[in-house]
Amino acid sequence: MSSNTSVQAKSLLGLGPARRASSTLYSKPKLRLALLLAAPLTWLVLIYIVALVALLITAFWTVDSFTGQIQISWSLDNIQSVLTQALYRTVTLRTLGIALLVTVVDILIALPIAFFMAKVAGKRLQRAMVIMILMPLWASYLVKAYAWRAVLSNDGILNWLLQPLGGHTPGYGLTGVIIAQAYLWLPYVILPIYTGLERVPNSLLEASGDLGAKTVRTMRWVVLPMLLPSIIAASIFSFSLTLGDYITVNIVGGANQMLGNLVYTNVGAANNLPLASAIALIPVVIMFVYLAVVRKTGALENL
Amino acid sequence: MQFKTAKLAALFAAAAMVLSACGTATPVATSSVPTKLGANEKSVSLLGWPGYAEDGSNDPAVDWVTPFEKATGCQVTFKAYGTSDEAINLFKSGDYDVIAASGDATLRLIASGQVAELNTDLIPSYANVYPFLKGKAWNTADGKVYGVPHGYGANLLMYKKDTVKPAPTSWDVVFDKSSAYKGKVTAYDSPIYIADAAVYLMAHNPALGIKNPYALDEKQLTAAVDLLKQQRANVGEYWSDYLKEIQAFETGDSVVGTTWQVIVNSMSAKANVGSVLPSEGATGWSDSWMVSSHAKSPNCAYKWLDYIDQPKANAAATEYFGEAPATAEACSFMASADTCASYHAGDVDYANKIWYWTTPIANCLDGRTDVKCTDYARWTQAWQEIKG
């Protein structure tokens, strides 16, 4: 022990500052941890917490309607108008409805695809399908949204396909928004459900079959309970991504507005940052409530 | 728990202090108006409507920026915006030396101290500008000149000739009779569009007593809002990005709605559109070039203001956008001889029939003192309600 210390002291005297620093860090694990975490933690605090707090604070300020300058006088006007005016209620309900529908559509599409990938397809096909599902993520979001604008247009491919059958493109509007959003977020929904299904042991399905359960019964009472956390985890993606979106609705939504558009027009056009902050708090609150409810199901461990 | 709350409160307080320190820069009014110009800087950054400073990158034949760069050595960067509100917001960033703004933005820029008073002696070409464009409410305040005119024009009605028959002569195709084109009507996405409804009501509902579409009391605004809500049911989509409108008319997703001459000029022959200045008259714009009060390149900025009102450059810029030029001399430089005639350039009576965009304020612009008028903030709120 004593010889060990003397060796360490000797090397401390004889070596450069880098070596000395590393020796100090070696002997002080708490300092080591602090230095290691300082950068990412600062980042996290600045980006998430300070930004959220700033958003909250701005909501209590007002703006001079003529000059467009922000005035720091505390008032509850913005919060009050967001809570009481019919416009915000309508748009919030519309946005919630779209987010829910997109989530339901995505889950309905994702379940059979994920089941096929996890339990039916062979190894090669499985890998090919994962790549196919991830592929659209390589293209820009805007390109995909504008592609849907072309598809849904009056002289677009959808009309060309449907017209012989007596159908017609839904055109630009809420249906278009739901279709485009469901398409955009589908990979984020398939992947968590797929990994969830991978974790369901085949032996359980076989056991259920051996005991006489039909496919539907096995799905309902064996697979679904085990899969529920994954489905909820997937829904967090599609739900929250839809809730905050304003670009897709701008491109294929016709004259409709979602919460993101109200935020956008208040920042970009009306130049009313405080009111925009107040509106931006609506989806934040909705997501907090959603996550709080979902936490109990254990879905957050499946993200 | 108590401790946690205290820490959180401290964090809030700290964040509030940081924000109040950096979030709101009070406008610094530049006190001195330059009396002579110095050496040109290396660059100048412009903010304007699309098509106001073309350097040949959109169309090699359309270029009046490069000659300016060659003559002055000022490298131009240009950013286009879609609505006046967007312009004000971008300009506030302080990244721009010069802005081309319409009347619904200029007053706000002057009031907030964002633009500087001009010494027109340093802008030789200003002398040739049409007198009826000078000293107007949107470019002059308290006798001080803040902007030099660029050109002026009206917001037109565009329609697809094969679907909208007979060819419209009234705005009623987008208002009272818009249900015939349900889902295919388009309108400009800005609160200032409320004035278009007011212009229509001036002609069709004289009982409301609207004298100026930018001076609406609460009752008149309600009537305009009701008209626009009724229109909303038939609107396919609103536009502020002019490329979006071009595309919607090309594909037939929009067939009738408000437009700019530059959009009409950009449409392909296949789209088969026509445009008209309807009988009720129209809203329009008279745009001004202004210099930022925080300009990093004030000398190049003045040089640009002088350049854009010189006949050749003014002709190129206004002919490309599709508006009447600011000077009579510009007409002789137009590529097409009848451009000036078709925009009624220099026709004082015609120019006075256009309701130029201006910022609605509480003091009625039509001179009424017995009522309070609705201001732009109220219009913004109304516009969001209309869109629903």
Side-chain angles (χ1 to χ4, degrees):
Chain A
M1 184 72 197
S2 72
S3 74
N4 206 0
T5 332
S6 76
V7 167
Q8 210 175 33
K10 207 165 151 193
S11 64
L12 270 179
L13 283 173
L15 290 167
R19 196 60 188 274
R20 215 173 308 160
S22 87
S23 301
T24 318
L25 283 180
Y26 180 76
S27 56
K28 294 195 167 97
K30 274 201 174 156
L31 180 67
R32 208 164 64 217
L33 191 68
L35 280 177
L36 199 68
L37 287 180
L41 266 184
T42 318
W43 183 252
L44 199 75
V45 166
L46 275 181
I47 296 295
Y48 286 97
I49 303 185
V50 173
L52 258 184
V53 171
L55 190 74
L56 198 63
I57 289 172
T58 316
F60 293 102
W61 289 348
T62 51
V63 80
D64 183 316
S65 64
F66 188 61
T67 62
Q69 302 288 333
I70 288 178
Q71 288 168 331
I72 304 175
S73 52
W74 302 93
S75 89
L76 286 170
D77 288 359
N78 293 318
I79 306 283
Q80 199 189 352
S81 45
V82 164
L83 287 178
T84 54
Q85 281 177 20
L87 169 70
Y88 303 113
R89 206 165 31 243
T90 319
V91 177
T92 303
L93 288 178
R94 180 186 303 141
T95 310
L96 262 179
I98 293 172
L100 281 174
L101 271 171
V102 167
T103 305
V104 168
V105 168
D106 267 349
I107 289 173
L108 286 181
I109 299 174
L111 276 175
I113 295 179
F115 189 82
F116 180 81
M117 279 165 67
K119 298 292 171 209
V120 183
K123 268 278 169 280
R124 282 172 68 99
L125 184 59
Q126 195 178 49
R127 227 168 291 154
M129 284 188 77
V130 170
I131 292 172
M132 266 156 58
I133 285 159
L134 288 176
M135 196 98 88
L137 294 180
W138 298 352
S140 152
Y141 166 99
L142 268 182
V143 171
K144 287 182 277 184
Y146 271 106
W148 274 107
R149 185 173 165 88
V151 168
L152 293 166
S153 156
N154 252 328
D155 61 358
I157 190 167
L158 199 60
N159 232 10
W160 177 77
L161 278 173
L162 291 177
Q163 235 150 24
L165 310 169
H168 196 268
T169 166
Y172 304 143
L174 293 183
T175 319
V177 174
I178 292 167
I179 295 173
Q181 300 266 36
Y183 165 79
L184 284 169
W185 313 137
L186 190 59
Y188 299 100
V189 177
I190 293 181
L191 288 179
I193 296 181
Y194 165 66
T195 39
L197 271 168
E198 287 255 273
R199 272 182 272 170
V200 175
N202 286 338
S203 54
L204 279 185
L205 303 186
E206 284 155 14
S208 172
D210 287 349
L211 291 170
K214 293 258 163 36
T215 315
V216 176
R217 206 175 160 85
T218 309
M219 288 288 172
R220 172 65 189 88
W221 296 106
V222 180
V223 179
L224 200 63
M226 294 183 72
L227 204 56
L228 199 63
S230 303
I231 294 176
I232 293 171
S235 78
I236 293 173
F237 284 117
S238 58
F239 187 76
S240 63
L241 288 169
T242 312
L243 211 56
D245 189 80
Y246 69 97
I247 299 174
T248 305
V249 63
N250 227 353
I251 296 171
V252 297
N256 292 295
Q257 306 187 96
M258 284 169 69
L259 279 174
N261 298 85
L262 288 184
V263 174
Y264 176 75
T265 43
N266 273 300
V267 177
N271 195 15
N272 193 340
L273 200 59
L275 184 58
S277 303
I279 300 169
L281 288 175
I282 302 176
V284 172
V285 169
I286 293 175
M287 272 326 287
F288 268 129
V289 171
Y290 190 59
L291 289 178
V293 171
V294 151
R295 205 171 67 104
K296 298 212 172 105
T297 66
L300 297 184
E301 283 84 59
N302 278 274
L303 281 175
Chain B
M1 191 64 217
Q2 197 97 57
F3 181 60
K4 257 190 185 164
T5 324
K7 267 210 291 201
L8 203 63
L11 187 66
F12 267 86
M17 268 191 289
V18 170
L19 283 172
S20 40
C22 67
T24 58
T26 39
V28 187
T30 37
S31 47
S32 61
V33 178
T35 51
K36 65 182 177 63
L37 293 182
N40 287 339
E41 298 86 357
K42 291 231 170 333
S43 63
V44 62
S45 69
L46 314 176
L47 181 65
W49 292 100
Y52 267 36
E54 290 291 315
D55 62 359
S57 53
N58 289 327
D59 179 352
V62 180
D63 181 2
W64 56 91
V65 168
T66 312
F68 170 77
E69 289 174 335
K70 286 204 177 113
T72 61
C74 304
Q75 194 65 35
V76 172
T77 52
F78 176 68
K79 162 101 181 140
Y81 60 81
T83 65
S84 291
D85 305 298
E86 193 189 337
I88 288 184
N89 230 13
L90 283 169
F91 200 64
K92 275 205 315 195
S93 69
D95 291 343
Y96 303 95
D97 298 311
V98 182
I99 180 173
S102 296
D104 54 335
T106 53
L107 279 181
R108 285 184 274 160
L109 290 170
I110 297 170
S112 58
Q114 304 273 353
V115 290
E117 186 194 344
L118 297 174
N119 181 353
T120 53
D121 294 340
L122 300 176
I123 309 170
S125 63
Y126 184 72
N128 296 325
V129 169
Y130 288 124
F132 62 82
L133 295 177
K134 289 184 185 173
K136 291 294 179 182
W138 55 84
N139 56 28
T140 308
D142 296 333
K144 295 172 185 161
V145 178
Y146 285 89
V148 301
H150 173 86
Y152 62 99
N155 293 315
L156 304 169
L157 176 65
M158 181 158 78
Y159 56 96
K160 272 182 98 81
K161 286 179 186 162
D162 47 0
T163 21
V164 184
K165 287 177 184 170
T169 57
S170 161
W171 287 112
D172 61 4
V173 286
V174 293
F175 291 119
D176 286 334
K177 293 178 187 161
S178 58
S179 54
Y181 310 104
K182 191 171 171 60
K184 309 229 165 191
V185 175
T186 190
Y188 187 54
D189 190 0
S190 166
I192 208 70
Y193 184 69
I194 292 172
D196 286 56
V199 167
Y200 180 77
L201 289 174
M202 274 166 79
H204 294 270
N205 194 350
L208 282 168
I210 300 174
K211 294 278 176 288
N212 177 331
Y214 304 98
L216 305 179
D217 60 35
E218 197 58 50
K219 192 175 124 248
Q220 294 163 337
L221 181 73
T222 308
V225 167
D226 287 346
L227 182 64
L228 289 166
K229 279 187 176 160
Q230 184 193 320
Q231 180 199 45
R232 164 69 179 82
N234 301 319
V235 167
E237 65 181 4
Y238 293 96
W239 67 276
S240 60
D241 177 354
Y242 78 122
L243 295 171
K244 193 171 148 190
E245 177 172 51
I246 291 175
Q247 197 233 332
F249 269 87
E250 292 281 356
T251 56
D253 289 298
S254 295
V255 299
V256 66
T258 178
T259 195
W260 299 331
Q261 186 69 43
V262 67
I263 295 176
V264 180
N265 296 351
S266 308
M267 299 296 300
S268 69
K270 191 184 127 259
N272 195 23
V273 297
S275 69
V276 65
L277 180 69
S279 57
E280 294 91 353
T283 56
W285 69 93
S286 173
D287 295 347
S288 314
W289 285 97
M290 305 175 128
V291 176
S292 166
S293 45
H294 319 282
K296 293 179 191 80
S297 308
N299 298 307
C300 277
Y302 264 81
K303 281 286 186 305
W304 174 263
L305 260 58
D306 179 47
Y307 176 74
I308 200 66
D309 270 349
Q310 285 171 16
K312 204 172 167 194
N314 195 237
T318 54
E319 187 170 31
Y320 179 68
F321 190 84
E323 60 187 315
T327 68
E329 285 76 7
C331 289
S332 51
F333 286 90
M334 296 278 185
S336 154
D338 55 354
T339 303
C340 272
S342 66
Y343 300 136
H344 305 260
D347 182 341
V348 182
D349 289 336
Y350 179 89
N352 289 340
K353 266 182 216 145
I354 301 172
W355 291 102
Y356 296 108
W357 278 349
T358 187
T359 313
I361 49 176
N363 294 329
C364 293
L365 294 161
D366 58 1
R368 280 181 295 170
T369 48
D370 52 335
V371 284
K372 262 188 102 74
C373 277
T374 48
D375 65 5
Y376 194 69
R378 179 75 187 83
W379 283 38
T380 309
Q381 192 197 346
W383 183 244
Q384 287 183 356
E385 279 163 21
I386 291 162
K387 286 174 75 186

